[in-house]
Amino acid sequence: MTSTGGTPDGGTRRGIGARWLAFVLAHSEASDRRLYGDRKRSLLGGLGPTVVEIGAGTGANAPYFAPGTTWRVVEPNAFVHDGLKGAAERYGLHLDLTGGTAEHLPYPDASADAVVSTLVLCSVADPAGVLAEARRVLRPGGRFVFVEHVGAPPGSRLLRTQRALRAPWGLVADGCRPDRNTEALIRAAGFADIHVERFRLPLGLVAPHVAGTATKGA
């Protein structure tokens, strides 16, 4: 159930780094289900009928959306586009796939019921700009839904380590910033109602996580 509304090749990435990331994502879906499956099932199962997902990778979130959902995906990595189309077919989603970046979503104001970001805000160039775009395209009462790893608590040894290793980590992890305070960015983005769960996973440098929803006001 796939369409390619928009321009899938606009703003896509095709270099060696993008190919490597696509390979990693394609071979990590089982671990993603093990680590995040229960939370994703709870957060993503009731969304729709129109969901925007930023940085959807190979489609790890597709199994959690309701069949028949219009799945608008902004994904700059050209090497995962075929995987996204396959995921849409398997799970009965109406895919609208475009390249480009989350800082410039190609959708009208107030046109989406939900915007989804999972393990994406750590690596975008302008997270505040991404969150502003998410608010813009959400209808009143729509939800920004997130699962993200975040910087460790202030003063902690882990935060010092995250900062010390930020540059080499970013080189091998597609620009990821392990010390980014994503929760604070979400709280400052102008949403009317925010619910955040903080939790840790056995993932070393990126163990601290947040998950939850942020609702757009009227």
Side-chain angles (χ1 to χ4, degrees), residues 9-216:
D9 290 330
T12 53
R13 296 168 51 199
R14 297 180 180 277
I16 294 174
R19 187 182 291 275
W20 166 248
L21 180 62
F23 175 83
V24 171
L25 292 173
H27 290 80
S28 62
E29 291 187 6
S31 61
D32 186 278
R33 287 193 298 271
R34 176 175 54 83
L35 291 167
Y36 302 104
D38 289 343
R39 286 183 175 87
K40 287 186 175 184
R41 192 171 296 108
S42 174
L43 289 167
L44 304 181
L47 303 180
T50 301
V51 174
V52 172
E53 183 171 3
I54 58 174
T58 53
N61 291 336
Y64 307 104
F65 298 130
T69 296
T70 296
W71 186 30
R72 294 178 173 170
V73 174
V74 176
E75 173 52 67
N77 190 332
F79 297 108
V80 301
H81 285 186
D82 285 345
L84 288 166
K85 294 172 186 177
E89 294 287 348
R90 285 194 301 277
Y91 298 107
L93 307 176
H94 300 286
L95 176 64
D96 181 349
L97 174 61
T98 184
T101 66
E103 286 88 347
H104 303 284
L105 298 178
Y107 311 119
D109 296 356
S111 61
D113 298 291
V115 176
V116 172
S117 171
T118 61
L119 308 178
V120 171
L121 292 178
C122 58
S123 59
V124 298
D126 179 11
V130 171
L131 291 164
E133 278 288 89
R135 280 189 65 232
R136 180 185 65 79
V137 303
L138 282 170
R139 62 169 176 78
R143 287 176 288 170
F144 176 69
V145 183
F146 56 92
V147 180
E148 300 284 350
H149 71 77
V150 296
S156 66
R157 179 178 180 181
L158 179 55
L159 180 61
R160 292 192 295 271
T161 304
Q162 288 175 330
R163 288 173 173 168
L165 297 179
R166 182 172 64 196
W169 179 266
L171 287 175
V172 299
D174 198 44
C176 170
R177 287 190 51 156
D179 61 331
R180 181 166 279 171
N181 191 346
T182 298
E183 180 182 346
L185 290 164
I186 294 170
R187 291 189 179 279
F191 291 99
D193 188 31
I194 300 171
H195 296 274
V196 177
E197 175 197 7
R198 302 182 186 94
F199 62 101
R200 293 178 68 90
L201 292 174
L203 295 173
L205 194 67
V206 292
H209 282 67
V210 293
T213 61
T215 303
K216 182 177 179 177

